[in-house]
Amino acid sequence: NWQIVTGQEIDFDSSILENRRQIEASVEYLKLLEDFLRIKELKNHFEDIPKEIIFEYLETTWLNLPVVPLLSANLNHSFYITEGYENKKPDKKIQKALIWFNDSGLPYATYELDAIKVLLDEKSIQVDIFEKEKLTKETFLEKYQDASYDLVWIITHGEFDYNNPPYSYLYLSETSKISLWDLQNCTLKRNNKRNVILNACYSGCADVRHNSMGFIGIAPSLITAEQDILGHLWFVHDLASATLGIFTLKYLLEGFELTKATQLASRNMFSSNYEIANKIIEINPSFEISERVMNNSSIELSQPFYSMSPIIFK
């Protein structure tokens, strides 16, 4: 609920498919939030700091506000949410990747899968893809805890339970799901960090009660010394998340760490659909998603609702 800043209730949930006012209101909302954060003053304070520096963001009680995406969009520096791990493992070049592909109800997800397979193949990265009959809970638990994967890419639906966050879910298939409680009980031991991409609705959000007690959700609960997580703050359209995913992987494979890669990916969305499609064509002209982006007149991917949902937890 974004009422605290706008002064009126704007619930960002699946009903936005039938109510475009909420998507369009995100532009006004971001302008109000920029004023609240005094973005112009912040720019002045940050201009003398080397842009390569990455900042930890500590105020988790504001987690559901897109403060971190807003800072990353307006400043040369990138930001992430931290839980204060001091023993974070070093990064490692991606050599092996896992893709969990549940496209039930996600018509644009197949274009994301096709593109990221090509990008990984171009770098001679071993890719294990799990889809269709392979999408079982037992398989997921086994593979999620497999320390040999340097990149775990999950394309699916997410659900956040505001009343009982440990029972928030990732939908592993059309008929199977896994709770945050189950995921938190998984163990992973690696000498290097891996990246986990949760391209799923509500995978990065949390709940804050009136007594200021925070109840964190899927992505922030899965941070460990061994992995960084990308989640989404709200309901996301699969065309937008697929486009963001392709840009993010492009920058990851160019050697940027996840926080900077996500910042650059989001900034690629701050333009018209035509320009975004041409950026995809520059990556690889065979990616069919470029045509879907260019010819989609009902969705403007530059809208903050589409371009500013991802957030990084380290």
Side-chain angles (χ1 to χ4, degrees), residues 140-245:
F140 183 86
L141 286 170
E142 175 191 350
K143 299 301 178 182
Y144 179 78
Q145 297 175 91
D146 188 336
S148 67
Y149 291 112
D150 308 307
L151 175 66
V152 176
W153 198 287
I154 301 173
I155 302 171
T156 189
H157 298 277
E159 173 187 318
F160 182 68
D161 189 329
Y162 288 89
N163 295 312
N164 196 355
Y167 289 92
S168 300
Y169 292 98
L170 290 177
Y171 284 79
L172 304 179
S173 69
E174 193 170 1
T175 57
S176 176
K177 60 185 180 181
I178 188 168
S179 71
L180 172 55
W181 182 265
D182 290 330
L183 288 167
Q184 284 182 298
N185 289 325
C186 293
T187 58
L188 178 71
K189 295 297 181 183
R190 283 172 53 94
N191 294 324
N192 307 88
K193 275 192 308 181
R194 72 178 185 184
N195 292 317
V196 178
I197 309 299
L198 299 179
N199 247 355
C201 297
Y202 308 110
S203 54
C205 67
D207 188 25
V208 179
R209 303 299 173 120
H210 294 295
N211 62 4
S212 297
M213 177 176 281
F215 297 90
I216 56 179
I218 298 173
S221 295
L222 298 182
I223 310 171
T224 67
E226 286 84 9
Q227 61 185 21
D228 296 342
I229 316 285
L230 182 152
H232 290 274
L233 287 175
W234 49 75
F235 171 86
V236 288
H237 192 284
D238 55 324
L239 178 61
S241 63
T243 304
L244 273 164

Side-chain angles (χ1 to χ4, degrees), residues 38 108 169 205 301 306 313:
R38 299 186 177 184
Y108 294 100
Y169 292 98
C205 67
L301 294 181
Y306 299 116
F313 301 88

Side-chain angles (χ1 to χ4, degrees), residues 48-61:
D48 294 329
I49 301 174
K51 64 181 181 181
E52 293 78 16
I53 292 179
I54 299 172
F55 288 88
E56 299 178 3
Y57 189 80
L58 300 173
E59 186 57 77
T60 54
T61 56

Side-chain angles (χ1 to χ4, degrees), residues 32 64 104 113 137 190 230:
L32 290 167
N64 278 357
S104 174
L113 176 64
K137 185 175 180 178
R190 283 172 53 94
L230 182 152

